[in-house]
Amino acid sequence: MTALTDPVHISIACHGGRGHTARLGEAVRTGASRAPDSKVTLIRVDRITDEDWQLLDDAHAIVFGAPTYMGTASAAFHTFAEASARRWLTRRWQDKVAAGFTNSGSMAGDKAGTLGYFAALAAQHGMLWVSLGLASGWNSSRGSESDLNRLGFFQGAGAQSPVDDRTGTAHPSDLATAEHLGHRVAEVTRTVVAGRRALTP
């Protein structure tokens, strides 16, 4: 792709929980930063400031991230989502690109509930949802836990960390999957932004 006149702005709105999801957020940022003309910011939604809200308002894409607790996103993320209603009222995030990632203690862990919640939040804001764009990994005799998308989620990036782990580490495949998501979001956003600029008189 040819270079854009101005950078594409991508914000990652994430609650880190015990540290595992924050590692995924960093991986998403790494992947998105690999795309040309991308400016990526990571925002802690449990410590969000007025300046952070402005970054989200100005972003071309927002990637939502939170741990899965009891079948949905963490309470801190829900607080952020409810506060975003002011943007919903003014359609401030209309037609921005959106995506999501999450982590839980079990392989499945009802992560699909959290990714579905992110997608519904994005739909309420009128955003454009980007899926993970990967086939399932680790689902044949030739597969392994090193495969991308080893847990087989499609709406976004899913990861698993043992519930008794206190180090905030994440599985290398899950980090690589999160990087893939970040890069995919950046490339889709570049395409959307370039198309809009080309159509602007």
Side-chain angles (χ1 to χ4, degrees):
M1 287 186 179
T2 58
L4 298 171
T5 304
D6 299 308
V8 169
H9 293 265
I10 299 166
S11 287
I12 303 164
C14 175
H15 175 226
R18 291 185 293 124
H20 307 96
T21 311
R23 286 286 307 280
L24 292 174
E26 292 288 352
V28 171
R29 177 163 63 179
T30 297
S33 297
R34 291 203 325 263
D37 309 307
S38 294
K39 180 179 180 181
V40 189
T41 56
L42 184 60
I43 293 169
R44 290 281 303 271
V45 299
D46 53 331
R47 303 176 183 176
I48 196 164
T49 65
D50 289 341
E51 291 76 15
D52 292 333
W53 280 112
Q54 189 62 54
L55 286 171
L56 293 173
D57 291 345
D58 293 340
H60 298 104
I62 302 174
V63 184
F64 301 125
T68 294
Y69 296 152
M70 304 307 292
T72 188
S74 59
F77 188 90
H78 275 271
T79 298
F80 157 76
E82 290 180 19
S84 77
R86 292 186 178 183
R87 274 72 189 167
W88 175 80
L89 286 169
T90 61
R91 311 312 293 164
R92 186 65 185 82
W93 294 355
Q94 181 82 26
D95 293 332
K96 293 183 186 293
V97 173
F101 61 93
T102 188
N103 180 82
S104 71
S106 300
M107 291 293 188
D110 289 329
K111 284 185 273 285
T114 301
L115 294 173
Y117 169 69
F118 291 154
L121 174 64
Q124 288 185 335
H125 280 286
M127 302 170 80
L128 310 174
W129 187 258
V130 175
S131 67
L132 182 59
L134 286 174
S136 297
W138 205 13
N139 63 356
S140 73
S141 59
R142 297 184 301 276
S144 77
E145 64 177 302
S146 298
D147 293 344
L148 287 178
N149 196 20
R150 69 184 180 113
L151 302 181
F153 288 91
F154 296 96
Q155 277 188 303
Q160 180 269 336
S161 299
V163 295
D164 56 351
D165 178 78
R166 296 292 184 269
T167 65
T169 57
H171 193 284
S173 172
D174 296 341
L175 292 173
T177 301
E179 279 196 36
H180 168 88
L181 177 67
H183 190 260
R184 176 171 164 82
V185 168
E187 289 296 333
V188 169
T189 305
R190 279 166 46 81
T191 300
V192 170
V193 171
R196 287 175 182 160
R197 289 173 181 169
L199 292 171
T200 300

